[in-house]
Amino acid sequence: MISASTSTIPEVEPEEKRVPQEIRVRVLRQDAPSEESYWQQFAIPYEPNMNVISVLQRIAAIAKSQDGRRVPPVAWDCACLEEVCGSCAMLINGRARMACSSLVDNLFEETPGEIELRPLTKFPVVRDLSVDRGRIFNSLERVKAWVPVDDSYDHGPGPRISPEEQEDAYPLTTCISCGCCMEACPQFNKIEVVQREGETADDFDARKQTAYDEQFLGPHAISQAVLFNSHPTGSMNSDERMQALTGRGGIQMCGNAQNCVAVCPKRIPLTRSIARAGRAATVWAIKKFFDR
Amino acid sequence: MTQSRVLVIGGGLAGLSATMRLAELGVHVDLVSLVPVKRSHSVCAQGGINSVNAVTRQQGDNEYKHLDDTVYGGDFLQHQPPVKEMADWAPRIIDLMDRLGVPFNRTPEGFRDQRRFGGTLYKRTSFAGATTGQQLLYSLDEQVRRWEAEGRVKKWEFWDFLEPVMDDDGRCIGAVCQDMVTMKFKAFSADAVILASGGCGLLYGRSTMSMICTGSAVSRAYKAGVKYGNAEFIQVHPTAVPGADKLRLMSESARGEGGRVWVPRKAQDARDPKDIPVAERYYFLEERYPEYGNLVPRDIATREIFDICTTDGLSVDKDRLCVYLDLTHIPRETLDRKLGGILEIYEKFQGVDPREAPMKIFPAVHYSMGGLWVDYEKSETGGLLEGSPRNQQTNITGLYAIGECDYQYHGANRLGANSLLSCIFSGLFCASGVIAGAKKNTRDETSPDFVSAVKRQEERHQAILSRPVGDSNPYDIHRQLGDIMTRTATVVRRNEQLSQAYDEVCQLENVWEHCSLSDTGNWTNQNVIFTKSVGDMFPLAKLILKGALLRDECRGAHYKPDFSMPGIAATEPAEQKAEAERWCDRFEENTRKWLKSTIGVHGDDGHPVITYEDIDTTLIPPRPRLYGLVGGEVIEQVWKERSEKATEPVTVG
Ligand SMILES: Cc1cc2nc3c(=O)[nH]c(=O)nc-3n(C[C@H](O)[C@H](O)[C@H](O)COP(=O)(O)OP(=O)(O)OC[C@H]3O[C@@H](n4cnc5c(N)ncnc54)[C@H](O)[C@@H]3O)c2cc1C
Ligand code: SF4
Ligand code: SF4
Ligand code: FES
């Protein structure tokens, strides 16, 4: 049959294919930063073709835990619901992935009838499944992930680009800054800066950015550096990017474990980017040595 | 001179392009958004962005024709000078985005490749894979990050805009926003405020839009006195994939690349679609619209698909309305290269490979042509006067609107790939005028105007939090509102239904007044943010329904069968001609009566007050939109004779 919805209609019913009545959801909750986390169970009726977002929407609407207690709805982030905004990354059955593109029917093949949701562990929890991923954008700034144009006035078209170059660059431009690769990376550690008593929002933010500046950039940012270094105009400030890549928290931190590429929802060729960045870093180091 | 300071609400394509240009011109920008700007709804756009280009130009295309397609597609309901300016800027905008690094698809020789979109006969649409919006947004996000690193831009992400603040002269001097993490309120003082908050699809429950497209910011501006234009014009996209949480778009580019829409001639034919011979397939768009085929403008494709399922009963499935959108005749490799991204979405969310089996699709709410009323200043050449503070300014001095949240560019129906263009255009173009009109605002956030506005918002917030526990919740109310709106104010509209819906929405608003929260805390309380945005959907919903109710005609996306103008029934040439004359008479009369923008103002009693505004059609006189109408050729002939007569030099005797 063609449609996924019709294929879930139980015709011949082998034992394991029986449609479940309800979905039991275990959520690791945390009321605020620096609070203790705790597990809470929810149960909602099963419907065909659900994703984890619609599960969370049902939980928000009933706002009761499995034992019938009124509880505040679970906090989580989402926007596009089609895996292109990068908002909804979380640990689903222990694996970093996007809630919107995680279909309940597929998850049930891992754990029939049950789903476990936890916040990403490499980013500070804001509340429940919502985490502070500002560090992802901080890394993009560190590697100067932009084309250094003169201005936004008309200067005619950009450089000619062959279809091969376009096809090479395109996958890298589809990174949604979700954080899954960082979650999986053994070299990427959680940095949690806690606001001090009486500290202004600006001071707190500045302290956070400084703390991030010293730490591993993460695979996504390495990949973006490669992207912009390969762009004809982008390459004009490749030196600055190489400086960031070879500086503290740069490419040398990467142990090549390749966990990142395995979890990337957009299947971005991160290991290829990392290998390219590694080679470029070596060349750059030699060049710098002779330029002295 | 002290640096001027502009507050931009929203970091989609419109907000980011304005921010980039303003920062470049030396302005300090505070940029407020519900989500990190890189996650704004613009990332969802798939198909592409329009402009005249080197190739189409040599095929006879020019900016005037882009203007003409846009206003004809929009059924003449937009002022023409801004559209002209946009069409003139379009080639430069694509060039700019190209320079910023957008990976547009390339021809073998290394030029930008273009595809054809609905409502035009030229290949005007540049695209980057099937994720054009994402790529455009990222390249602007990158430039804005560059300015952020320089200290010229400060982002306020996870902040909710609550109300604009005006001084005693009625000039906008800033706004009140709320931090969605700490739930704290803050006043922002500014020399000018720009709203770039996008569409309002969530009014319809499920749509093709993102969860953040609640229209809340626009509604709050409307309640504060900004006029709203053409609310009833809501575009329903012909091809979406129905889902429990969202109706996911299947881009028009699927048809642009050769996708064909069909249904089995036999109702609910149970055979595998691939086993149905061509003779037993009904390619209804191609048969009914030989010239445009599958690429008729959106409103027409939508109505045809809707009709074939409801009136003709030819839906593919019985329990779920849908038709086939078929790509299986196109080589896999081509599909992957040109449509990879959108096909993956279908595969990922439906579990079926659209390269192997035809997709099942149905129309869904997609875009709001209407929006905040904005002004413009016309130039001598019929376009806009660059640098005029009137451009994109609402009726409140110092408060501007750009992007999907303004009403300016798309009239009664938006052409595909024209929205990304209008967003970037309005963002870039408004900047010089905003600066010219900005008045140094000496009041800081401790001045009484700001303090009282913050207090008002704190009180509203507190009142909602402390409502007694009741049995209705905001999620249910939202679902009910969506059902009412989808049922009555989408593809087909009828007066009895609209007025009943209006009453239902008013009742539901009362229920909302008493709905209780399941979270009364003051930390990342998404429950209360959502509840407020649901409450703010009612004024807009009423505006849409009222506008639709009053407008007794068919125009673009607004279709009322009771007021439709059927084609020519006669078969005799002479009778046909006479009928066509009568048709044209009626058309002219209707134009006199209804070729006007609907302008809504929020009344003190909560009901909209509706008036009408004349439209500047000085560049292209309105003409009947005849796509596929029976006897359209005869009408066209009669119409031509009339317009020739009208333009003949008058002999003074
Ligand atoms: C699925 C889909 C596909 C599309 N494809 C195309 C296409 O191929 N071509 C085309 O031309 N058009 C397309 N469109 C239309 C186009 O994408 C949108 O019209 C356009 O992106 C809108 O951009 P914007 O900048 O106006 O707003 P958005 O991108 O929606 O951004 C709005 C911004 O405002 C912020 N905001 C909203 N409310 C508040 C608030 N209360 N407080 C603070 N901030 C707020 C948001 O956080 C966000 O940053 C498509 C639309 C959809 C739904
Ligand atoms: S390859 Fe490098 S970046 Fe990727 S997971 Fe391993 S250590 Fe991290
Ligand atoms: S590289 Fe992949 S996993 Fe990492 S942030 Fe980008 S999209 Fe997410
Ligand atoms: S909600 Fe946008 S990626 Fe999941």
Side-chain angles (χ1 to χ4, degrees), chain B residues 588 621-622 638-651:
Chain B
E588 284 180 342
V638 169
W639 185 258
K640 223 170 119 198
E641 286 161 15
R642 285 192 187 193
S643 17
E644 272 159 18
K645 217 175 279 159
T647 51
E648 257 169 34
V650 188
T651 35

PDB file of all heavy atoms in Angstrom, chain B residues 588 621-622 638-651:
ATOM      1  N   GLU B 588     -16.934  45.609 -15.150  1.00  0.00           N
ATOM      2  CA  GLU B 588     -16.595  47.018 -14.907  1.00  0.00           C
ATOM      3  C   GLU B 588     -17.298  47.551 -13.676  1.00  0.00           C
ATOM      4  O   GLU B 588     -16.721  48.285 -12.879  1.00  0.00           O
ATOM      5  CB  GLU B 588     -16.959  47.871 -16.139  1.00  0.00           C
ATOM      6  CG  GLU B 588     -15.948  47.696 -17.251  1.00  0.00           C
ATOM      7  CD  GLU B 588     -16.275  48.522 -18.488  1.00  0.00           C
ATOM      8  OE1 GLU B 588     -17.439  48.960 -18.627  1.00  0.00           O
ATOM      9  OE2 GLU B 588     -15.361  48.711 -19.305  1.00  0.00           O
ATOM     10  N   PRO B 621      -3.902  49.203 -16.216  1.00  0.00           N
ATOM     11  CA  PRO B 621      -5.345  49.221 -15.943  1.00  0.00           C
ATOM     12  C   PRO B 621      -5.855  47.815 -15.647  1.00  0.00           C
ATOM     13  O   PRO B 621      -5.411  46.853 -16.294  1.00  0.00           O
ATOM     14  CB  PRO B 621      -5.956  49.762 -17.234  1.00  0.00           C
ATOM     15  CG  PRO B 621      -4.842  49.970 -18.191  1.00  0.00           C
ATOM     16  CD  PRO B 621      -3.562  49.564 -17.587  1.00  0.00           C
ATOM     17  N   PRO B 622      -6.766  47.692 -14.702  1.00  0.00           N
ATOM     18  CA  PRO B 622      -7.306  46.389 -14.348  1.00  0.00           C
ATOM     19  C   PRO B 622      -7.967  45.725 -15.548  1.00  0.00           C
ATOM     20  O   PRO B 622      -8.584  46.403 -16.371  1.00  0.00           O
ATOM     21  CB  PRO B 622      -8.353  46.709 -13.285  1.00  0.00           C
ATOM     22  CG  PRO B 622      -8.010  48.048 -12.782  1.00  0.00           C
ATOM     23  CD  PRO B 622      -7.323  48.767 -13.880  1.00  0.00           C
ATOM     24  N   VAL B 638     -13.753  41.123 -26.541  1.00  0.00           N
ATOM     25  CA  VAL B 638     -14.624  42.257 -26.238  1.00  0.00           C
ATOM     26  C   VAL B 638     -13.892  43.266 -25.363  1.00  0.00           C
ATOM     27  O   VAL B 638     -13.935  44.480 -25.574  1.00  0.00           O
ATOM     28  CB  VAL B 638     -15.919  41.767 -25.538  1.00  0.00           C
ATOM     29  CG1 VAL B 638     -16.702  42.946 -24.971  1.00  0.00           C
ATOM     30  CG2 VAL B 638     -16.767  40.970 -26.504  1.00  0.00           C
ATOM     31  N   TRP B 639     -13.166  42.724 -24.372  1.00  0.00           N
ATOM     32  CA  TRP B 639     -12.447  43.595 -23.451  1.00  0.00           C
ATOM     33  C   TRP B 639     -11.402  44.424 -24.180  1.00  0.00           C
ATOM     34  O   TRP B 639     -11.223  45.616 -23.933  1.00  0.00           O
ATOM     35  CB  TRP B 639     -11.794  42.760 -22.340  1.00  0.00           C
ATOM     36  CG  TRP B 639     -11.164  43.645 -21.326  1.00  0.00           C
ATOM     37  CD1 TRP B 639      -9.850  43.941 -21.191  1.00  0.00           C
ATOM     38  CD2 TRP B 639     -11.855  44.412 -20.333  1.00  0.00           C
ATOM     39  NE1 TRP B 639      -9.661  44.836 -20.185  1.00  0.00           N
ATOM     40  CE2 TRP B 639     -10.872  45.143 -19.633  1.00  0.00           C
ATOM     41  CE3 TRP B 639     -13.209  44.559 -19.980  1.00  0.00           C
ATOM     42  CZ2 TRP B 639     -11.200  45.997 -18.588  1.00  0.00           C
ATOM     43  CZ3 TRP B 639     -13.526  45.417 -18.929  1.00  0.00           C
ATOM     44  CH2 TRP B 639     -12.530  46.113 -18.250  1.00  0.00           C
ATOM     45  N   LYS B 640     -10.755  43.760 -25.149  1.00  0.00           N
ATOM     46  CA  LYS B 640      -9.707  44.433 -25.908  1.00  0.00           C
ATOM     47  C   LYS B 640     -10.304  45.602 -26.692  1.00  0.00           C
ATOM     48  O   LYS B 640      -9.751  46.714 -26.683  1.00  0.00           O
ATOM     49  CB  LYS B 640      -9.054  43.439 -26.868  1.00  0.00           C
ATOM     50  CG  LYS B 640      -7.529  43.564 -26.887  1.00  0.00           C
ATOM     51  CD  LYS B 640      -6.876  42.437 -27.649  1.00  0.00           C
ATOM     52  CE  LYS B 640      -6.101  42.992 -28.822  1.00  0.00           C
ATOM     53  NZ  LYS B 640      -5.815  41.948 -29.824  1.00  0.00           N
ATOM     54  N   GLU B 641     -11.421  45.321 -27.338  1.00  0.00           N
ATOM     55  CA  GLU B 641     -12.069  46.386 -28.105  1.00  0.00           C
ATOM     56  C   GLU B 641     -12.417  47.565 -27.213  1.00  0.00           C
ATOM     57  O   GLU B 641     -12.176  48.723 -27.554  1.00  0.00           O
ATOM     58  CB  GLU B 641     -13.344  45.859 -28.784  1.00  0.00           C
ATOM     59  CG  GLU B 641     -13.043  44.954 -29.975  1.00  0.00           C
ATOM     60  CD  GLU B 641     -14.233  44.084 -30.356  1.00  0.00           C
ATOM     61  OE1 GLU B 641     -15.358  44.369 -29.909  1.00  0.00           O
ATOM     62  OE2 GLU B 641     -14.020  43.076 -31.078  1.00  0.00           O
ATOM     63  N   ARG B 642     -12.928  47.249 -26.031  1.00  0.00           N
ATOM     64  CA  ARG B 642     -13.291  48.339 -25.105  1.00  0.00           C
ATOM     65  C   ARG B 642     -12.080  49.152 -24.699  1.00  0.00           C
ATOM     66  O   ARG B 642     -12.122  50.376 -24.674  1.00  0.00           O
ATOM     67  CB  ARG B 642     -13.924  47.763 -23.832  1.00  0.00           C
ATOM     68  CG  ARG B 642     -15.325  47.306 -24.058  1.00  0.00           C
ATOM     69  CD  ARG B 642     -16.005  47.036 -22.736  1.00  0.00           C
ATOM     70  NE  ARG B 642     -17.300  46.440 -23.016  1.00  0.00           N
ATOM     71  CZ  ARG B 642     -18.267  46.299 -22.125  1.00  0.00           C
ATOM     72  NH1 ARG B 642     -18.065  46.697 -20.884  1.00  0.00           N
ATOM     73  NH2 ARG B 642     -19.404  45.761 -22.452  1.00  0.00           N
ATOM     74  N   SER B 643     -11.004  48.463 -24.338  1.00  0.00           N
ATOM     75  CA  SER B 643      -9.852  49.235 -23.852  1.00  0.00           C
ATOM     76  C   SER B 643      -9.226  50.042 -24.975  1.00  0.00           C
ATOM     77  O   SER B 643      -8.686  51.115 -24.742  1.00  0.00           O
ATOM     78  CB  SER B 643      -8.812  48.359 -23.156  1.00  0.00           C
ATOM     79  OG  SER B 643      -8.981  47.028 -23.448  1.00  0.00           O
ATOM     80  N   GLU B 644      -9.299  49.496 -26.217  1.00  0.00           N
ATOM     81  CA  GLU B 644      -8.756  50.286 -27.320  1.00  0.00           C
ATOM     82  C   GLU B 644      -9.563  51.561 -27.511  1.00  0.00           C
ATOM     83  O   GLU B 644      -9.016  52.638 -27.713  1.00  0.00           O
ATOM     84  CB  GLU B 644      -8.752  49.463 -28.619  1.00  0.00           C
ATOM     85  CG  GLU B 644      -7.464  48.665 -28.755  1.00  0.00           C
ATOM     86  CD  GLU B 644      -7.590  47.488 -29.696  1.00  0.00           C
ATOM     87  OE1 GLU B 644      -8.547  47.457 -30.502  1.00  0.00           O
ATOM     88  OE2 GLU B 644      -6.740  46.582 -29.614  1.00  0.00           O
ATOM     89  N   LYS B 645     -10.854  51.388 -27.397  1.00  0.00           N
ATOM     90  CA  LYS B 645     -11.721  52.550 -27.537  1.00  0.00           C
ATOM     91  C   LYS B 645     -11.392  53.580 -26.443  1.00  0.00           C
ATOM     92  O   LYS B 645     -11.310  54.766 -26.693  1.00  0.00           O
ATOM     93  CB  LYS B 645     -13.186  52.110 -27.440  1.00  0.00           C
ATOM     94  CG  LYS B 645     -14.085  52.894 -28.390  1.00  0.00           C
ATOM     95  CD  LYS B 645     -15.507  52.376 -28.386  1.00  0.00           C
ATOM     96  CE  LYS B 645     -15.711  51.139 -29.255  1.00  0.00           C
ATOM     97  NZ  LYS B 645     -16.913  50.373 -28.870  1.00  0.00           N
ATOM     98  N   ALA B 646     -11.190  53.052 -25.243  1.00  0.00           N
ATOM     99  CA  ALA B 646     -10.960  53.952 -24.111  1.00  0.00           C
ATOM    100  C   ALA B 646      -9.681  54.755 -24.274  1.00  0.00           C
ATOM    101  O   ALA B 646      -9.576  55.871 -23.782  1.00  0.00           O
ATOM    102  CB  ALA B 646     -10.908  53.150 -22.813  1.00  0.00           C
ATOM    103  N   THR B 647      -8.681  54.172 -24.952  1.00  0.00           N
ATOM    104  CA  THR B 647      -7.415  54.891 -25.063  1.00  0.00           C
ATOM    105  C   THR B 647      -7.287  55.700 -26.350  1.00  0.00           C
ATOM    106  O   THR B 647      -6.300  56.372 -26.560  1.00  0.00           O
ATOM    107  CB  THR B 647      -6.228  53.905 -24.980  1.00  0.00           C
ATOM    108  OG1 THR B 647      -6.459  52.857 -25.931  1.00  0.00           O
ATOM    109  CG2 THR B 647      -6.081  53.325 -23.599  1.00  0.00           C
ATOM    110  N   GLU B 648      -8.317  55.598 -27.231  1.00  0.00           N
ATOM    111  CA  GLU B 648      -8.295  56.394 -28.459  1.00  0.00           C
ATOM    112  C   GLU B 648      -8.270  57.876 -28.131  1.00  0.00           C
ATOM    113  O   GLU B 648      -8.944  58.318 -27.203  1.00  0.00           O
ATOM    114  CB  GLU B 648      -9.580  56.118 -29.270  1.00  0.00           C
ATOM    115  CG  GLU B 648      -9.347  55.195 -30.443  1.00  0.00           C
ATOM    116  CD  GLU B 648     -10.670  54.749 -31.040  1.00  0.00           C
ATOM    117  OE1 GLU B 648     -11.626  55.550 -31.027  1.00  0.00           O
ATOM    118  OE2 GLU B 648     -10.734  53.591 -31.493  1.00  0.00           O
ATOM    119  N   PRO B 649      -7.490  58.646 -28.903  1.00  0.00           N
ATOM    120  CA  PRO B 649      -7.477  60.088 -28.624  1.00  0.00           C
ATOM    121  C   PRO B 649      -8.878  60.690 -28.826  1.00  0.00           C
ATOM    122  O   PRO B 649      -9.572  60.364 -29.790  1.00  0.00           O
ATOM    123  CB  PRO B 649      -6.486  60.645 -29.659  1.00  0.00           C
ATOM    124  CG  PRO B 649      -6.292  59.561 -30.672  1.00  0.00           C
ATOM    125  CD  PRO B 649      -6.644  58.279 -30.031  1.00  0.00           C
ATOM    126  N   VAL B 650      -9.271  61.487 -27.911  1.00  0.00           N
ATOM    127  CA  VAL B 650     -10.603  62.081 -27.993  1.00  0.00           C
ATOM    128  C   VAL B 650     -10.549  63.275 -28.952  1.00  0.00           C
ATOM    129  O   VAL B 650      -9.685  64.138 -28.837  1.00  0.00           O
ATOM    130  CB  VAL B 650     -11.053  62.570 -26.593  1.00  0.00           C
ATOM    131  CG1 VAL B 650     -12.506  63.021 -26.622  1.00  0.00           C
ATOM    132  CG2 VAL B 650     -10.840  61.467 -25.577  1.00  0.00           C
ATOM    133  N   THR B 651     -11.435  63.259 -29.926  1.00  0.00           N
ATOM    134  CA  THR B 651     -11.439  64.395 -30.856  1.00  0.00           C
ATOM    135  C   THR B 651     -12.408  65.458 -30.355  1.00  0.00           C
ATOM    136  O   THR B 651     -13.572  65.188 -30.111  1.00  0.00           O
ATOM    137  CB  THR B 651     -11.871  63.943 -32.268  1.00  0.00           C
ATOM    138  OG1 THR B 651     -12.851  62.926 -32.125  1.00  0.00           O
ATOM    139  CG2 THR B 651     -10.699  63.420 -33.048  1.00  0.00           C
TER     140      THR B 651
END
